[in-house]
Amino acid sequence: MKNYKLKLAIASAFGLNSYIASATGFVALPNTGFTVSDGISAYTLCSTNNVNPTQSANNTCAVFPSSEFRSPGDPAEYTGVRQFPVANKTRPVVVDNTYTTGPTTIGNYVDYVWRSDDDSECIYGVKVVLNSYYQINDIARGGWSGLGVFAAYSTVPVTAHPVSRIGLTYTSVQRRYGYIEQPLTGLGSSPSINGLNAYPGTASSIQQKADIDDNWVNFTSYISGSTSNSGMFYVKSDVCPAMPYTQADNAIRLRRTFQGPGEYFTEISLPGFAPNDAVLTPIHTEPY
């Protein structure tokens, strides 16, 4: 990836975690994880205080495109017509599992690809818009195995909630008040959701873990109620899909991770743009 080796060299010189913690914009997601005080985490922290980013504060992992359609990358890399998506697709978000009486459309999502002017890298973006009461806590995107990847988000529109953390992992970890913000590795399996699928109660330490999986990037945020639009969730990779751009089944997973009473673990599997020959496992199972 363009600038990937340079950025990792800078990170190594000053310590990877200190670089990531102070970074704004796209953050590198190393397949060795992030060192924390008591172990290794697949996740890096973004906005844990639930405050939206600005150009001067709360902006770790955040980018600031002028609109949803503008490239979130360096203007020197994404110029001319490449400032705008080279591919985009809008599809419905349909829930059909043991908790519904049949297929239920709860909104739609827009999937984008921006390509750099020299064709060396692509940015994949997704945004979710709900039209009925529902809750989504995590969005996972697959297809990155063996690649170097960076990730970022924006709060376009400005009413969207920020992203609290981004992980190189398949597993979404339940986030309730008082729970660990940066889950450790050591789970030994790859569930789509890890946590306590009940209320009340408190998850055990093993239910607050997620192992590294370099095929998936997971974003933890909040989409529900009055904030029915997500921000934009971006993954940048040095591999782009060949034209014509096509969406791969099961590339995007929307997760509901049971934040309070009346909820339950749910995963919604959706098609999404992905690098060529992406293998999008584990297989989705209903309801998660």
Side-chain angles (χ1 to χ4, degrees), residues 189-234:
S189 61
S190 296
S192 57
I193 302 169
N194 193 24
L196 182 68
N197 197 12
Y199 190 91
T202 302
S204 67
S205 60
I206 198 69
Q207 290 173 318
Q208 284 280 282
K209 292 186 175 183
D211 289 341
I212 296 167
D213 184 338
D214 73 349
N215 197 37
W216 291 88
V217 175
N218 187 90
F219 300 82
T220 301
S221 188
Y222 183 79
I223 315 163
S224 182
S226 60
T227 308
S228 59
N229 295 332
S230 78
M232 290 289 298
F233 303 91
Y234 306 102

Side-chain angles (χ1 to χ4, degrees), residues 18 30 38 46 51 62 72 84 88 91 112 125 145 154 175 188 194 227 234 237 244 252 255 260-261 286-287:
S18 62
D38 47 357
C46 298
V51 175
F84 300 95
N88 70 87
R91 290 181 181 266
Y112 297 97
S145 182
S154 70
R175 184 174 183 255
N194 193 24
T227 308
Y234 306 102
S237 171
I252 296 172
R255 275 84 177 261
E286 296 288 3

Side-chain angles (χ1 to χ4, degrees), residues 33-280:
F34 300 90
T35 301
V36 295
S37 60
D38 47 357
I40 299 294
S41 178
Y43 283 93
T44 187
L45 299 180
C46 298
S47 177
T48 58
N49 59 5
N50 222 25
V51 175
N52 275 6
T54 68
Q55 293 279 1
S56 59
N58 300 303
N59 51 19
T60 303
C61 315
V63 291
F64 301 92
S66 59
S67 75
E68 176 182 326
F69 304 103
R70 290 278 184 170
S71 163
D74 182 340
E77 298 176 34
Y78 296 85
T79 58
V81 296
R82 302 295 178 93
Q83 291 179 358
F84 300 95
V86 294
N88 70 87
K89 185 76 172 181
T90 300
R91 290 181 181 266
V93 177
V94 180
V95 182
D96 185 13
N97 57 35
T98 57
Y99 301 115
T100 65
T101 57
T104 303
T105 299
I106 63 169
N108 61 66
Y109 70 104
V110 188
D111 194 17
Y112 297 97
V113 180
W114 292 267
R115 194 179 186 102
S116 63
D117 289 350
D118 63 2
D119 296 337
S120 67
E121 65 185 23
C122 275
I123 295 173
Y124 303 75
V126 64
K127 173 184 174 181
V128 177
V129 180
L130 302 180
N131 58 20
S132 63
Y133 179 77
Y134 200 80
Q135 181 171 300
I136 294 169
N137 307 109
D138 288 73
I139 296 180
R141 184 161 203 153
W144 320 111
S145 182
L147 306 177
V149 293
F150 292 82
Y153 78 98
S154 70
T155 51
V156 177
V158 295
T159 55
H161 279 274
V163 167
S164 60
R165 61 192 178 204
I166 302 174
L168 192 68
T169 181
Y170 177 71
T171 301
S172 301
V173 179
Q174 186 178 54
R175 184 174 183 255
R176 293 176 178 172
Y177 179 77
Y179 278 28
I180 188 170
E181 291 288 356
Q182 205 165 3
L184 298 178
T185 56
L187 180 59
S189 61
S190 296
S192 57
I193 302 169
N194 193 24
L196 182 68
N197 197 12
Y199 190 91
T202 302
S204 67
S205 60
I206 198 69
Q207 290 173 318
Q208 284 280 282
K209 292 186 175 183
D211 289 341
I212 296 167
D213 184 338
D214 73 349
N215 197 37
W216 291 88
V217 175
N218 187 90
F219 300 82
T220 301
S221 188
Y222 183 79
I223 315 163
S224 182
S226 60
T227 308
S228 59
N229 295 332
S230 78
M232 290 289 298
F233 303 91
Y234 306 102
V235 178
K236 181 163 68 173
S237 171
D238 56 352
V239 172
C240 297
M243 295 182 68
Y245 293 89
T246 56
Q247 291 183 312
D249 289 342
N250 304 307
I252 296 172
R253 313 289 176 92
L254 310 183
R255 275 84 177 261
R256 186 176 185 174
T257 62
F258 203 152
Q259 301 301 299
E263 300 173 10
Y264 34 77
F265 288 176
T266 304
E267 178 182 84
I268 305 167
S269 185
L270 303 169
F273 295 115
N276 294 336
D277 303 317
V279 178
L280 299 164

Side-chain angles (χ1 to χ4, degrees), residues 7-24:
K7 290 182 180 181
L8 288 186
I10 294 171
S12 297
F14 294 99
L16 182 59
N17 288 329
S18 62
Y19 166 75
I20 293 296
S22 62
T24 61

